[in-house]
Amino acid sequence: MNRPKLVVIGNGMVGQRFLEELITHHHGFDITVFCEENRPAYDRVQLSSYFSHASAEDLSLASDTFFADNNISFLCGESVTRIDRDSKTVVGSQGTNIDYDTLVLATGSYPFVPPIPGRDREACHVYRTIDDLDAIRNSAQSSKTGVVIGGGLLGLEAAKALKDLGLTTHVVEFAPQLMAVQLDSRGGELLRQKVTELGVEIHTGKATQLIDDGDGHRHKLVFSEGELEADLVLFSAGIRPRDELAKACGLQMGERGGVVIDNQCRSSDPDIYAIGEVAVWQGSVFGLVAPGYNMAQQLATLLCGDATVAFAGADMSTKLKLLGVDVGSIGDAHARTPGAQICAVDDNSTGTYKKLIISEDGRLLLGAVLVGDTSDYDTLLQYCLNRIELPPSPLALILPDSGDKPVLGVDALPASAQICSCNNVSKATLCEAISAGCTSMGALKTETRASATCGGCATLVKQVLNAELKRQGIHVNDHLCEHFPYTRQGLYHVVRVNQVRSFDELVSRFGSGEGCDICKPAAASILASCWNDYILDPKHVGLQDTNDNFLANLQKNGSYSVVPRVPGGEITPDKLLVLAQVAQKYDLYTKITGGQRIDLFGARVDQLPLIWKELIDAGFESGHAYGKSLRTVKSCVGSTWCRYGVQDSVRMAIFVEERYRGLRSPHKLKMAVSGCTRECAEAQSKDVGIIATEKGWNMYVCGNGGMRPRHAELFASDLDDESLIKYIDRLLMFYIQTADRLQRTSVWRDNLEGGLDYLQDVIINDSLGIAEELETQMQAVIDTYACEWKRTIEDPDALKRFRPFINADSADEQVVYVRERGQKRPARSEETNNITLVETV
């Protein structure tokens, strides 16, 4: 039998999701897909990662065999030039003619470029596709300064890309504030302040009238008042629907473009549907991926026989990290609802702003704005989406955590509550999947796609999983792995109390089997924390992960990094000279890190001992950048040089770093010491932060950067040196004893019953009577410290592991590099065929 012909125009994220949904419904179509780009669908949400660590293959959403495996005719690199509705055919740019019974438009959108004279000059780009990013990267190689025209979500994302490329970056925005659609004026003002502090210059209220030749740079942007010069211009001023095909064939269009659709994604032609950013539903174009995914799911279900499904709009709430700044916008962020009330917390000391928009009767949350701290976003979103009645004092939801903040448990959420907005996964869907046998996060993600796109809902998904398993009477296993019936905390105490000195002894006495890649590194960390043995000792070496195995961080191309310790960021000219000489000798990429030391990248595994021999001889030691241990203690220049400094921050930073160097812990540790409250060392974003006062030191704890930044909390004030070090000793050892595997101090602190008050009681007041024991254990670690690299280069047996081949002394020729900005970097896969660019080392 002839199957109905389905043609899909467009293979972006939404078009690809539509195909995947069709496959899950066991469709009965002959499918042809037109893909204008020269590659299948890829993840535009993570597009900026292409400038840092991701390749085109990493971003791909379709496997190499997806289309062949599912009998889909995939026309890659071919666009559609015309739709003939009378004959029901589409014509491709390469002369292809395809008949259709059903046609789906998934053509997405294009970047809007304002009609500015000079917009088509050399090194003027848009930020939309991988090809665009390649063009931007090429222009950046001959540029020093870049400017982004547009200060919305996409504009700030583009600004981050330019900064990642090493350009001095400006953002020009026509509106009087950044992110005017999502944020109120105060939120926009704080965002501007934070972005400016990160080194991006912001120009709001500016309309670019002309792009012309610059005097000192390639371009000059001319405003009604003033000028700005740059070498590279990046347009990111919004999007417009790719609707030219629909318009040419006579479909009904929206007032501002786009294909008008009904609740079933059907256009004015009953055989043509539209999904994603090309579609206009009730006058709205949805520029986020979640509504597009929802349309794709609904349409696939409809075409496979379920006529009851309907698209009902989408929540446009967003939580993002823009240039390292947390931003959240929920619901009616501008308080446009009649009678809406507002309550807000504007904390200049921490750089956070949180605003709630509440219904006139005070019962419901209508919207919220969060800048600087989005830790309350998930809770507030559930209150808003599910119309959950607010507590008597709604302000308590956004006040700093005092231990009694109202908690919205997952049991309070209705079955219809949307847990994953990207993939439109409800609590009911998760519970059904759990009942059907998905009893792990991995299985739940595979079955429902919850947390599979941006990952922001992973914590909430895990809470639903645990609550549903408990409701069903299923024990929630908190064992480290199948080989040990203990938590990480329990295993630590087994090792400490029973004086266990090796993994073989541990697994034979207290576990089973041979271990795995979960328990082995965890046990290695615990053994190192307790006894501080050499980690490459034969009885320990098999437990280490790749980085610890070679005492270096493995990089994306198979080479390794060399990171010597620079305590407190203080270094002599002689040592700087040694680093330069070593980098030149071994042709290493050099970069100054945010932790005030110099990383040397690109070393082959066989070169590591040679490099470290020279560094050790010059007085350097391992920086432990490869281990879950203390990394750096950052400092400002303090009272030694700074006119504002009130204490010697460098002296304290060096003392602290040398005291805790090599300390193994559940997660990496970072510290900082600032010489005054101006906080140049950014101590309040560290696991332990120390800030000088006129009377001594303020101690902050449990902050971190990373994917979920958190400000550290004030733990104790005006401490003398002795008390400060005593409290740090106790805190770190208590954390090592009680934290879970790979748990940061911030998460550990959040999970402590009693919160900060409890932690202060244990560490300062010794409420558990363990202070002396904690101090003694820490002193034992300090007394047994030895530089792991110094020990390694003195051990002939240990050096054997750094030979890339057992039976030969030759180097690994698969490690390849490209020259860029005067240094080498790892070659991307698409560059390895270009012999003129690539060198094999």
Side-chain angles (χ1 to χ4, degrees):
M1 295 178 62
N2 291 327
R3 302 202 301 173
K5 297 178 179 179
L6 172 64
V7 173
V8 182
I9 304 177
N11 187 234
M13 295 181 73
V14 173
Q16 180 66 21
R17 175 56 61 88
F18 172 66
L19 298 175
E20 293 169 359
E21 293 289 343
L22 279 176
I23 290 166
T24 63
H25 285 83
H26 306 290
H27 67 88
F29 293 99
D30 280 332
I31 303 175
T32 300
V33 178
F34 284 85
C35 176
E36 183 177 33
E37 292 191 59
N38 58 6
R39 54 175 59 86
Y42 51 89
D43 190 348
R44 295 187 198 276
V45 174
Q46 305 295 334
L47 195 58
S48 62
S49 65
Y50 186 69
F51 283 132
S52 52
H53 63 274
S55 66
E57 289 77 14
D58 295 331
L59 295 173
S60 178
L61 296 176
S63 68
D64 293 339
T65 62
F66 172 82
F67 299 100
D69 290 346
N70 294 289
N71 296 313
I72 296 173
S73 176
F74 183 64
L75 305 178
C76 190
E78 183 168 6
S79 61
V80 171
T81 59
R82 183 165 60 90
I83 299 171
D84 189 329
R85 291 168 55 198
D86 294 329
S87 63
K88 298 183 71 170
T89 60
V90 296
V91 179
S93 58
Q94 298 180 18
T96 305
N97 280 268
I98 300 290
D99 297 333
Y100 70 84
D101 296 295
T102 300
L103 178 63
V104 176
L105 298 176
T107 50
S109 62
Y110 67 90
F112 170 66
V113 178
I116 303 167
R119 64 186 179 276
D120 54 355
R121 290 166 55 89
E122 178 191 2
C124 289
H125 302 283
V126 294
Y127 186 84
R128 183 65 175 169
T129 68
I130 287 179
D131 288 342
D132 292 334
L133 268 60
D134 284 334
I136 292 167
R137 192 200 305 271
N138 289 336
S139 292
Q141 292 178 358
S142 59
S143 302
K144 294 182 178 179
T145 300
V147 59
V148 177
I149 296 181
L153 293 177
L154 296 176
L156 294 178
E157 188 73 17
K160 180 183 185 301
L162 295 188
K163 273 194 65 67
D164 288 345
L165 289 170
L167 274 62
T168 300
T169 304
H170 300 257
V171 172
V172 174
E173 167 58 39
F174 176 72
Q177 68 166 79
L178 296 176
M179 287 183 63
V181 174
Q182 291 83 12
L183 302 180
D184 62 3
S185 58
R186 173 54 186 149
E189 177 189 346
L190 181 58
L191 178 60
R192 174 182 182 142
Q193 175 186 325
K194 286 179 167 290
V195 169
T196 301
E197 289 172 354
L198 293 169
V200 176
E201 190 166 344
I202 306 297
H203 311 265
T204 53
K206 297 286 188 182
T208 307
Q209 298 179 338
L210 172 68
I211 303 175
D212 204 349
D213 290 334
D215 298 323
H217 297 269
R218 186 179 288 128
H219 305 297
K220 176 170 63 179
L221 279 65
V222 180
F223 312 123
S224 57
E225 295 183 5
E227 299 174 346
L228 174 64
E229 293 205 357
D231 301 302
L232 186 155
V233 177
L234 191 49
F235 295 101
S236 190
I239 59 173
R240 299 290 185 270
R242 284 286 305 272
D243 58 9
E244 61 272 18
L245 287 172
K247 187 181 299 182
C249 73
L251 296 180
Q252 182 183 349
M253 309 301 292
E255 184 178 343
R256 297 185 178 181
V259 181
V260 173
I261 62 170
D262 61 14
N263 292 349
Q264 294 185 318
C265 299
R266 185 183 286 109
S267 74
S268 55
D269 184 324
D271 295 320
I272 301 179
Y273 299 82
I275 55 177
E277 292 170 328
V278 72
V280 177
W281 180 83
Q282 295 190 4
S284 295
V285 173
F286 298 97
L288 299 178
V289 70
Y293 279 177
N294 192 358
M295 291 180 189
Q297 181 183 34
Q298 301 298 336
L299 180 57
T301 304
L302 172 74
L303 296 180
C304 291
D306 186 352
T308 64
V309 299
F311 177 70
D315 173 60
M316 296 298 284
S317 301
T318 53
K319 179 176 68 170
L320 306 143
K321 182 184 290 294
L322 298 166
L323 286 160
V325 181
D326 285 314
V327 177
S329 175
I330 296 173
D332 183 13
H334 292 278
R336 296 191 174 104
T337 305
Q341 305 180 61
I342 293 175
C343 61
V345 174
D346 193 350
D347 189 348
N348 288 327
S349 66
T350 60
T352 59
Y353 171 68
K354 302 181 180 183
K355 181 179 79 170
L356 301 182
I357 297 90
I358 301 169
S359 62
E360 187 173 11
D361 60 8
R363 295 177 56 249
L364 300 176
L365 183 67
L366 304 177
V369 173
L370 307 169
V371 178
D373 177 12
T374 56
S375 57
D376 301 318
Y377 177 89
D378 291 339
T379 297
L380 297 177
L381 182 63
Q382 295 303 326
Y383 270 105
C384 185
L385 292 182
N386 298 294
R387 299 180 65 80
I388 298 171
E389 189 160 334
L390 290 167
S393 177
L395 190 63
L397 292 170
I398 53 175
L399 287 172
D401 192 359
S402 59
D404 56 358
K405 178 181 285 192
V407 177
L408 181 65
V410 292
D411 290 336
L413 298 178
S416 60
Q418 187 185 67
I419 304 299
C420 174
S421 60
C422 288
N423 297 290
N424 193 29
V425 182
S426 67
K427 177 184 174 183
T429 300
L430 290 176
C431 291
E432 289 170 4
I434 295 166
S435 297
C438 295
T439 57
S440 70
M441 279 292 289
L444 206 53
K445 179 187 290 188
T446 300
E447 177 66 23
T448 67
R449 287 199 174 99
S451 80
T453 300
C454 76
C457 62
T459 300
L460 194 54
V461 172
K462 184 68 164 63
Q463 291 172 359
V464 172
L465 173 63
N466 289 345
E468 183 63 13
L469 290 175
K470 184 177 180 181
R471 189 188 67 79
Q472 294 178 13
I474 300 173
H475 175 65
V476 179
N477 192 329
D478 60 357
H479 296 171
L480 184 66
C481 69
E482 63 189 84
H483 302 107
F484 288 99
Y486 303 97
T487 63
R488 188 263 172 201
Q489 177 182 352
L491 199 63
Y492 175 92
H493 291 299
V494 165
V495 170
R496 176 69 76 176
V497 172
N498 294 280
Q499 298 286 299
V500 176
R501 305 296 296 234
S502 72
F503 183 79
D504 288 345
E505 179 186 356
L506 182 64
V507 76
S508 64
R509 292 179 60 187
F510 302 100
S512 62
E514 298 180 355
C516 63
D517 58 1
I518 293 177
C519 62
K520 285 183 175 180
S525 174
I526 291 170
L527 291 167
S529 297
C530 290
W531 318 124
N532 216 15
D533 292 340
Y534 177 48
I535 66 170
L536 297 187
D537 186 290
K539 66 182 178 183
H540 298 314
V541 70
L543 310 178
Q544 313 302 329
D545 64 17
T546 300
N547 290 341
D548 284 304
N549 241 313
F550 295 103
L551 305 180
N553 271 332
L554 176 65
Q555 303 304 312
K556 64 188 292 184
N557 68 333
S559 65
Y560 289 84
S561 62
V562 173
V563 188
R565 187 171 300 285
V566 181
E570 183 180 85
I571 188 168
T572 64
D574 287 342
K575 283 191 172 182
L576 277 174
L577 185 59
V578 169
L579 289 179
Q581 291 170 337
V582 167
Q584 279 190 328
K585 179 176 179 179
Y586 294 95
D587 192 17
L588 304 177
Y589 172 92
T590 58
K591 188 177 188 306
I592 298 175
T593 73
Q596 295 182 331
R597 54 188 183 183
I598 298 174
D599 286 4
L600 310 176
F601 290 88
R604 299 193 312 265
V605 67
D606 60 294
Q607 292 176 324
L608 291 172
L610 303 175
I611 293 170
W612 274 106
K613 174 67 167 60
E614 295 190 34
L615 295 176
I616 296 294
D617 289 346
F620 286 103
E621 63 181 22
S622 171
H624 291 91
Y626 48 82
K628 295 294 185 285
S629 57
L630 176 67
R631 298 292 179 86
T632 64
V633 181
K634 187 175 181 178
S635 76
C636 63
V637 295
S639 58
T640 305
W641 294 94
C642 180
R643 57 199 172 106
Y644 299 106
V646 294
Q647 300 286 349
D648 187 351
S649 59
V650 179
R651 174 193 63 82
M652 179 57 73
I654 293 173
F655 179 82
V656 170
E657 185 161 351
E658 291 183 340
R659 182 173 181 83
Y660 303 114
R661 59 191 172 184
L663 176 67
R664 300 282 168 156
S665 57
H667 203 283
K668 65 184 176 184
L669 295 169
K670 295 183 180 181
M671 304 186 194
V673 185
S674 286
C676 72
T677 55
R678 294 171 70 88
E679 248 284 71
C680 292
E682 302 166 336
Q684 291 181 75
S685 63
K686 300 295 188 286
D687 298 281
V688 176
I690 304 167
I691 300 178
T693 71
E694 296 285 353
K695 300 178 181 178
W697 306 97
N698 284 351
M699 177 178 169
Y700 290 78
V701 300
C702 302
N704 64 254
M707 292 182 65
R708 298 178 66 87
R710 174 193 167 120
H711 278 279
E713 297 171 283
L714 180 60
F715 187 74
S717 301
D718 297 328
L719 300 173
D720 57 33
D721 290 6
E722 181 182 357
S723 298
L724 173 69
I725 299 304
K726 179 171 62 177
Y727 291 164
I728 297 175
D729 281 358
R730 296 176 182 177
L731 175 82
L732 293 180
M733 193 53 68
F734 188 54
Y735 162 64
I736 289 169
Q737 285 190 7
T738 59
D740 287 337
R741 167 181 169 268
L742 301 180
Q743 188 176 54
R744 302 195 81 143
T745 58
S746 58
V747 181
W748 168 70
R749 172 341 208 157
D750 288 341
N751 291 343
L752 286 176
E753 292 188 17
L756 186 66
D757 290 341
Y758 169 76
L759 192 58
Q760 290 170 320
D761 210 24
V762 171
I763 302 304
I764 298 174
N765 302 324
D766 193 18
S767 61
L768 299 180
I770 60 173
E772 184 177 353
E773 177 187 348
L774 296 175
E775 293 172 25
T776 300
Q777 291 173 0
M778 179 60 78
Q779 192 59 50
V781 172
I782 294 166
D783 291 343
T784 54
Y785 168 76
C787 172
E788 291 166 348
W789 263 113
K790 186 174 189 299
R791 169 76 180 271
T792 299
I793 61 177
E794 294 172 350
D795 185 341
D797 289 332
L799 289 176
K800 292 178 182 178
R801 69 185 310 96
F802 295 93
R803 293 174 58 184
F805 304 105
I806 296 176
N807 58 348
D809 293 326
S810 57
D812 185 356
E813 295 184 355
Q814 300 304 310
V815 181
V816 292
Y817 301 95
V818 170
R819 291 285 166 184
E820 185 173 87
R821 296 190 297 276
Q823 298 199 82
K824 67 182 184 183
R825 65 160 171 81
R828 296 185 295 274
S829 58
E830 63 267 25
E831 295 173 319
T832 56
N833 294 323
N834 189 343
I835 305 302
T836 61
L837 285 178
V838 179
E839 60 182 63
T840 302
V841 180

